[in-house]
Amino acid sequence: MSEALSFAGAADLAERDAAILDFEDSWFTSSVPKEQAIMEHFSMTAARYYQHLNTLIDTPEALAYKPLLVKRLRRMRVQRQSARSARRLQG
């Protein structure tokens, strides 16, 4: 069943967006630093990549394509936002 969802999500997802999600799911196997791999694979800066990734993980197509990855990335984003808010309140 999950393969069917992944296939349906991939059909609705742009090829580059699917490639970004696939890369994010497996970048740690690369022998080069992540920023360098981003530049080599996508010809974009790391900042632009992360901007695109943050927009991408909010789409239902991305969630259908890679649900575990997208949920993990969303959770990590919320944790970072909470930590930033806490630091602002302290200082």
Side-chain angles (χ1 to χ4, degrees):
M1 174 105 176
S2 65
E3 287 182 35
L5 285 175
S6 292
F7 182 72
D12 295 338
L13 205 58
E15 186 176 326
R16 184 176 180 129
D17 291 343
I20 287 174
L21 290 173
D22 290 338
F23 173 80
E24 192 62 28
D25 206 18
S26 64
W27 67 266
F28 48 86
T29 61
S30 177
S31 60
V32 297
K34 187 174 183 182
E35 290 75 19
Q36 182 181 344
I38 289 168
M39 185 60 81
E40 291 173 0
H41 284 80
F42 304 109
S43 300
M44 65 173 70
T45 64
R48 180 71 59 202
Y49 170 85
Y50 287 115
Q51 287 171 346
H52 187 79
L53 180 63
N54 271 312
T55 302
L56 180 60
I57 64 174
D58 289 329
T59 65
E61 294 84 9
L63 183 61
Y65 181 64
K66 293 260 187 195
L68 293 176
L69 173 69
V70 170
K71 288 177 185 179
R72 180 173 54 87
L73 292 173
R74 287 177 179 178
R75 187 174 57 248
M76 291 169 56
R77 179 176 60 186
V78 167
Q79 289 171 346
R80 285 190 306 271
Q81 289 170 340
S82 297
R84 278 194 299 270
S85 294
R87 283 195 304 268
R88 278 190 219 124
L89 291 175
Q90 290 176 350

